Amino acid sequence: MRSMSEATAAIQPRRTAPDLGALPEWNLDDLYPAMDSDEVKRDLARSLDESVAFEERWKGRLDGLLDTETGAAELAGAIREFEALQDLLGRLISYAGLQHALQVSDPARAKFYGDVQEKLTNAGLHLLFFPLELNRISDERIEAAMADPELAHYRPWIEDERKERPYQLEDRLEQLFHEKSVTGRGAWNRLFDETMAGLRFDVDGEELPLEPTLNLLQDPEEATRRKAAEAMVRTFREHLPTFALITNTLAKDKEISDRWRGFKDVADSRHLANRVEREVVDALVTSVREAYPRLSHRYYALKARWFGKDRLEFWDRNAPLPKAPQKTYRWEEARDTVLSAYAGFDPQMADIAKPFFEKGWIDAPTKPGKSPGAFAHPTVPSAHPYVLLNYQGRPRDVMTLAHELGHGVHQVLAAPQGPLMAPTPLTLAETASVFGEMLTFRAILSRAEPAERKALIAAKVEDMLNTVVRQIAFYVFERKLHEARRQEEVPAEEINRMWMEVQAESLGPAINLGDGYETFWAYVPHFIHSPFYVYAYAFGDCLVNSLYAIYQESEDGFAQRYFEMLKAGGSKHHSELLAPFGLDAAEPAFWSKGLTVIEGLIDELEALEE
């Protein structure tokens, strides 16, 4: 998933929009025909009725089932019922979320999204008991029961759920946390989204939303980039109290939850959700921070020389190279480029991606009110994923298409695992997306003219720095913020200071973090929606760099091993998935191998200067 970032593309003011061809839009009928349809009303009613019936049928019985000869098979049947309910609830919330993403500022869609969330929260209250009660069965009894083939099918999910046991609360407290999420965390998330969607930035007298304003930071004209940055600073400063309040409230909400559940470190709950050990993440963070001078510091110093400057202004960080060719890809060319790159790896990969283009699974145009950035939503295994883009025809947009389609391919391959085991931990969720992006980049680079090559490699390095260095800096920033919030409310000025401190460390002396940049933390949605999500991008990028190096060294049998890894979904630990490739994320050499790929591209750029 791509966040609202400088790498996203959108409409430029006062410029003739390029002819991109016919851009596809979503057909959400595979989920429901309309927000007010009878099917939605029926399934909302079913979600509550069947959840209540499930609770009445199984609550208080799970441990006792195992005293009978057929108990293990009955427990497997209960899990199948629970799984079917997860698919039903997931279909409803996916549909509501996708409708909302198409028009974030539309009151009718916002109300529909909020109403569905509330109804599903009520239904979910009757399902909370199930994993809690399942986890109260002793290890010995559940292990013996899993000798039954039907129950053994769910072993990965059962073992995953049991990792949550040390942090579970008494049932009534779990119900309270669950029910209050609508008026607590969920409400603050919605406030952030709707506030951000409503912001306007005055660039030379033209009022723009965030997405096109961010895009101007990639404009070839320095004056345009500066004006866009200044417009962002003015608007962010005006709304900074609101964003500081949202951030403080959600950080405190997380601190309360962590304290009640017994999580020691501010990021431990995320590590648990990602099924990754704290030590592995710490090794990643340490490796990347130690590499800052060899990566970001060195690249931005090189880029400053290309611009004839000692230091770049912060609004020049993602600027196109001087005199670099600005190729525009029509939609058909972007589609063919990505599918060809996928097919070059393995025809199966392209075959899985083709329906996205043919069946209304992609929404590509940039439209007022549409959610910015890009994402691939898995929806539920009984349906299929959907991809959202804001496509404007630049090479980075083609890379974004390849990235999100990689997610889509992963989600399609994992779907047979079912609603409980298809979802992939965030640390592995970026694997297929970054791999698909790398395949596409290499395919484009192989056909590039010499004049294009430098710009393509530079753009790829910048994307990798945004994915690895920038996201680890984000993680360091979040740690500082959440650790401070455990003690007291953090004023906006202190948040600004923390932001500037980590940005200076990560970007290096060749970037001038001038007046106003201290506010740029305010628009990053992951800080709001998914605390500590960000390190998953760096994890995925370094993982893929290592995988791609192995692919280049020996292609025989690689594709089959790769597809088996994707098909596993969330049913295996990262150590088990990486073992067939000879990789181990617990080894420092693993991260070094991934970071070396970025260094190699910077080496190549420096060689072009000689």
Side-chain angles (χ1 to χ4, degrees), residues 229 232-233 236-237 314 499-500 513-520:
M232 292 172 68
V233 169
F236 289 157
R237 280 178 170 164
F314 68 84
W499 173 258
M500 292 293 276
L513 302 179
D515 183 46
Y517 188 71
E518 71 277 1
T519 65
F520 272 46

Side-chain angles (χ1 to χ4, degrees), residues 118-358:
E118 188 168 333
K119 290 179 185 296
L120 296 187
T121 298
N122 292 339
L125 283 171
H126 300 282
L127 304 177
L128 274 178
F129 80 92
F130 191 70
L132 299 175
E133 193 170 314
L134 186 66
N135 278 350
R136 284 197 285 268
I137 300 173
S138 72
D139 290 338
E140 295 76 18
R141 281 167 67 80
I142 197 69
E143 185 61 39
M146 284 193 289
D148 179 272
E150 289 186 65
L151 191 60
H153 169 75
Y154 291 103
R155 175 184 286 275
W157 177 74
I158 292 170
E159 290 181 346
D160 245 12
E161 285 297 309
R162 293 175 82 78
K163 291 174 183 175
E164 306 275 354
R165 280 196 298 174
Y167 311 103
Q168 286 180 186
L169 303 174
E170 182 268 325
D171 286 16
R172 293 281 289 170
L173 283 174
E174 290 288 356
Q175 291 172 1
L176 178 64
F177 270 66
H178 180 79
E179 194 163 4
K180 283 186 70 64
S181 66
V182 174
T183 56
R185 184 180 66 253
W188 288 98
N189 274 260
R190 180 175 164 185
L191 174 63
F192 174 85
D193 288 344
E194 294 182 6
T195 301
M196 194 59 68
L199 294 185
R200 292 297 178 265
F201 303 85
D202 184 348
V203 184
D204 248 0
E206 188 165 3
E207 296 289 326
L208 298 173
L210 177 63
E211 184 86 3
T213 309
L214 282 170
N215 186 63
L216 293 179
L217 297 179
Q218 300 174 55
D219 194 273
E221 297 296 328
E222 182 175 2
T224 301
R225 298 193 298 269
R226 176 179 55 80
K227 289 175 182 176
E230 290 171 348
M232 292 172 68
V233 169
R234 286 193 299 272
T235 300
F236 289 157
R237 280 178 170 164
E238 180 182 350
H239 294 271
L240 207 59
T242 299
F243 292 124
L245 175 60
I246 293 171
T247 300
N248 269 282
T249 302
L250 286 170
K252 183 61 179 178
D253 180 86
K254 184 179 183 304
E255 185 275 326
I256 293 170
S257 178
D258 284 354
R259 176 161 36 88
W260 275 82
R261 294 187 181 282
F263 289 109
K264 302 302 182 186
D265 185 77
V266 291
D268 275 352
S269 58
R270 175 60 63 195
H271 302 333
L272 177 64
N274 285 344
R275 300 302 186 251
V276 65
E277 299 74 22
R278 187 199 303 176
E279 295 74 19
V280 171
V281 178
D282 289 347
L284 165 64
V285 173
T286 299
S287 297
V288 174
R289 293 180 77 178
E290 288 177 350
Y292 284 169
R294 307 193 307 272
L295 301 178
S296 48
H297 296 189
R298 181 161 67 115
Y299 174 75
Y300 292 127
L302 179 62
K303 186 170 184 177
R305 291 201 299 273
W306 293 336
F307 278 75
K309 298 180 177 183
D310 294 327
R311 303 176 78 194
L312 294 171
E313 299 298 330
F314 68 84
W315 53 76
D316 292 330
R317 188 169 58 83
N318 285 316
L321 303 191
K323 301 179 182 178
Q326 297 293 309
K327 179 177 173 60
T328 297
Y329 287 79
R330 286 173 56 84
W331 178 253
E332 295 82 1
E333 186 180 5
R335 176 197 63 205
D336 294 346
T337 297
V338 174
L339 290 179
S340 174
Y342 279 18
F345 172 70
D346 190 283
Q348 180 184 352
M349 193 168 179
D351 289 343
I352 296 170
K354 284 176 184 175
F356 285 81
F357 295 96
E358 299 166 352

Side-chain angles (χ1 to χ4, degrees), residues 408-420:
V409 168
H410 193 173
Q411 291 157 359
V412 169
L413 285 169
Q417 294 286 349
L420 298 181

Side-chain angles (χ1 to χ4, degrees), residues 480-539:
K480 290 178 180 289
L481 174 62
H482 282 263
E483 286 168 356
R485 188 63 184 92
R486 283 189 166 190
Q487 307 304 318
E488 59 187 2
E489 185 165 322
V490 187
E493 294 76 14
E494 179 62 11
I495 302 176
N496 293 349
R497 187 198 63 76
M498 294 174 182
W499 173 258
M500 292 293 276
E501 181 178 80
V502 299
Q503 291 297 302
E505 179 198 16
S506 65
L507 298 176
I511 301 288
N512 179 37
L513 302 179
D515 183 46
Y517 188 71
E518 71 277 1
T519 65
F520 272 46
W521 59 269
Y523 78 88
V524 181
H526 292 99
F527 298 159
I528 303 302
H529 298 312
S530 308
F532 303 109
Y533 178 108
V534 288
Y535 72 74
Y537 286 114
F539 193 111

Side-chain angles (χ1 to χ4, degrees), residues 17-28:
D19 178 11
L20 302 175
L23 297 179
E25 299 185 54
W26 277 341
N27 174 10
L28 299 180

